[in-house]
Amino acid sequence: RRGGATGATIRRDLATLSGLCSCALAWDYLDFNPVRSFDKRHIRESAPRTAYPSEAEVERIVARASPMVGRIIRFLAATGMRQEEAVSLEWSQVSIERREVRLTKTKTSSPRVVPLSEEALAILTGTPRHITGHHVFWNGDGRRYTHFASQYRNIAKRANVPWRCHDLRHRFASEFLMKTGDLAALQAILGHRTVTMTMRYSHLVTEHLHRAIAKLDTIPGTKQAGFAGEVAPAAA
């Protein structure tokens, strides 16, 4: 913590250590798991995100990138895919007809389908194909991009934009949820193993709160908002 690690990082490091100790316990190298006895209640994670890159900021980064790198940045913002999933994407995984991408190698090792919006579809159909290469996004002689996060970081710095490459994924998730309110669909698109991870964005969904407050207007015998314990005014 003194070195600057956040509560989220500390919790994940402890989870990794606990997994290692559980294996050591099963293999009789340890008599108990010491991490489980550590009180983590005082380690707080940061508040849910309420900000993400704006469209103007994304365009500022794209303006300072090469044409192909700019396509990758726009594609990440339009699909919510992870950086590695996008730069390793091959044409064999893309179906223009079905408007979807099938990912076979993911962070969670679970294949998933990513539907394509009009914007994402336009990016793919406008991307030139290499004569011999298989990757959608390529440079040089058809090779895929490597160390893309560091390339993005340098471009964003020149554009004076503070957001990380991974924040493009947060942008997609936030925009999607505010427009659709569909947590289950977002979980499937992002490839989250559990809905708990997707719930980080749930504070952006407020439609159900408005529906609940609207019920105050539908109390029998009243025409104005009120509380369930109020007595309706007598008719004139």
Side-chain angles (χ1 to χ4, degrees), residues 49 51-54 57-58 60-61 152-153 155-168:
R49 288 176 176 270
Y52 50 85
S54 66
E57 288 174 319
V58 172
R60 274 166 52 193
I61 300 172
Y152 170 91
R153 187 164 53 248
I155 297 169
K157 186 177 181 180
R158 292 199 300 270
N160 196 29
V161 174
W163 304 101
R164 306 166 302 162
C165 185
H166 195 70
D167 288 322
L168 297 173

Side-chain angles (χ1 to χ4, degrees), residues 88-169:
S88 64
L89 186 65
E90 298 185 6
W91 283 113
S92 60
Q93 299 171 258
V94 178
S95 174
I96 300 298
E97 295 75 18
R98 293 177 60 86
R99 301 169 61 99
E100 66 185 29
V101 166
R102 289 187 173 273
L103 299 177
T104 54
K105 295 180 180 179
T106 65
K107 182 179 179 181
T108 59
S109 300
S110 299
R112 76 178 191 277
V113 172
V114 178
L116 300 173
S117 63
E118 289 290 344
E119 181 182 1
L121 194 65
I123 294 170
L124 291 182
T125 55
T127 300
R129 299 196 184 199
H130 190 271
I131 191 170
T132 59
H134 303 294
H135 290 99
V136 174
F137 304 109
W138 52 275
N139 63 33
D141 57 356
R143 292 167 296 162
R144 56 155 284 178
Y145 282 84
T146 56
H147 309 296
F148 185 79
S150 59
Q151 290 179 308
Y152 170 91
R153 187 164 53 248
N154 293 333
I155 297 169
K157 186 177 181 180
R158 292 199 300 270
N160 196 29
V161 174
W163 304 101
R164 306 166 302 162
C165 185
H166 195 70
D167 288 322
L168 297 173
R169 180 171 163 89

Side-chain angles (χ1 to χ4, degrees), residues 1-11 13 43-44 46:
R1 185 178 283 163
R2 285 194 296 269
T6 64
T9 297
I10 295 172
R11 279 182 169 273
D13 286 348
I43 304 176
R44 300 180 181 276
S46 57

Side-chain angles (χ1 to χ4, degrees), residues 10-28:
I10 295 172
R11 279 182 169 273
R12 283 154 183 73
D13 286 348
L14 286 172
T16 301
L17 286 172
S18 183
L20 291 171
C21 289
S22 292
C23 288
L25 184 63
W27 297 334
D28 293 329

